[in-house]
Amino acid sequence: MVGVFIDRTAEETERHRLTSYIRNEQKKSMMDDLTGIMNRKGFQRTVEKILQKDGVNAGVLMVCDLDNFKSVNDSLGHPEGDFVLKLFADVLKKEFRKSDVIGRIGGDEFMIFLPNAVGDLALRKKLDHFMDSVRGRLSAYRKYELSVSVGVSRIDADTGVMDFRKLYESADTALYVAKGLGKNQYYINDRGIRCMKNTCAMCRHECPRSEALALRNVQM
């Protein structure tokens, strides 16, 4: 009986060890090694779980892209570029709450999800403060014109933006507008426009992305 008890205890200990190992590996697979925040898979899965909860009908997604990041890599080397990515990730950790979801989607693109309703004034105040913080932390790279552009979208039944895919498309469209307007700024896509085409189909009478495309063509 003693032998059986010991065998079962050893078996249970090994089962717990394997379970713990699997959980740790799964967690690691959802994290970005360089910055210590979530990677694309981890971010999307986490946000989708939040949106699938009963009664969740609000939230804000921000898509951030570092402007002229390539110039840092080309001029100072990739190790310095990696340092910039970690620096920006640190800004995100400090600027946003633990209840917010932050992740590096790939390259120099990051996302933040605020899992609650945010009024216009509060959102703009938050974004203004965030932009100021980023400019301050990236000031050493001013000669490379390193900055951040941000596209913002909301969960909104009226515009049909109610799942992660549509939320991402809407925020990415807003990011395109922010860059088209000159970079180093944010744009809030209140109308939920989701256009990923390289050329304008002129499908709307008034469209901020169409205006940004026109502006880019003029600059070219």
Side-chain angles (χ1 to χ4, degrees):
M1 289 295 294
V2 173
V4 172
F5 179 77
I6 292 175
D7 287 344
R8 287 182 177 176
T9 300
E11 182 180 334
E12 190 67 22
T13 299
E14 179 65 11
R15 184 181 297 113
H16 281 302
R17 188 190 70 80
L18 288 174
T19 300
S20 178
Y21 173 78
I22 291 172
R23 286 176 179 172
N24 287 335
E25 288 300 306
Q26 289 175 336
K27 184 177 180 180
K28 285 166 58 178
S29 73
M30 296 175 69
M31 303 300 291
D32 178 55
D33 292 335
L34 178 65
T35 61
I37 59 178
M38 289 185 180
N39 59 23
R40 186 187 189 98
K41 180 174 72 173
F43 181 89
Q44 182 170 343
R45 285 187 178 180
T46 301
V47 175
E48 286 178 337
K49 285 182 179 179
I50 293 173
L51 296 179
Q52 289 168 1
K53 292 180 181 178
D54 292 337
V56 174
N57 56 6
V60 176
L61 180 68
M62 304 177 185
V63 179
C64 305
D65 187 83
L66 292 175
D67 306 316
N68 307 310
F69 176 71
K70 187 176 183 297
S71 64
V72 175
N73 275 337
D74 292 345
S75 301
L76 303 178
H78 286 82
E80 188 69 18
D82 287 347
F83 176 77
V84 168
L85 295 174
K86 290 188 283 188
L87 185 66
F88 184 73
D90 287 342
V91 176
L92 295 179
K93 293 173 188 177
K94 292 178 180 178
E95 285 294 311
F96 295 95
R97 305 164 302 177
K98 290 185 178 181
S99 59
D100 299 328
V101 187
I102 62 174
R104 179 185 175 208
I105 308 309
D108 59 344
E109 186 172 298
F110 296 76
M111 283 191 193
I112 310 100
F113 180 71
L114 314 182
N116 52 275
V118 184
D120 289 341
L121 184 61
L123 179 58
R124 291 185 181 278
K125 184 176 180 180
K126 179 63 180 178
L127 285 164
D128 288 337
H129 188 276
F130 171 60
M131 295 296 290
D132 287 342
S133 295
V134 173
R135 289 169 186 140
R137 293 298 298 275
L138 299 183
S139 60
Y141 303 91
R142 190 172 291 119
K143 65 179 292 186
Y144 303 103
E145 298 184 336
L146 182 66
S147 60
V148 65
S149 293
V150 185
V152 185
S153 181
R154 286 188 176 96
I155 291 291
D156 188 348
D158 292 337
T159 60
V161 179
M162 293 297 291
D163 57 36
F164 179 80
R165 181 180 63 82
K166 293 177 181 177
L167 190 62
Y168 178 38
E169 290 176 350
S170 181
D172 196 56
T173 298
L175 175 64
Y176 192 98
V177 175
K179 284 186 170 291
L181 293 175
K183 302 179 181 180
N184 193 25
Q185 59 187 289
Y186 63 83
Y187 183 85
I188 302 173
N189 189 354
D190 287 321
R191 287 178 281 177
I193 295 172
R194 308 188 305 275
C195 182
M196 311 300 288
K197 298 179 180 178
N198 291 327
T199 57
C200 183
M202 304 297 289
C203 57
R204 294 171 181 260
H205 179 63
E206 294 182 358
C207 174
R209 189 174 184 277
S210 176
E211 295 166 5
L213 279 167
L215 177 62
R216 187 188 69 173
N217 291 335
V218 169
Q219 293 173 338
M220 292 175 61

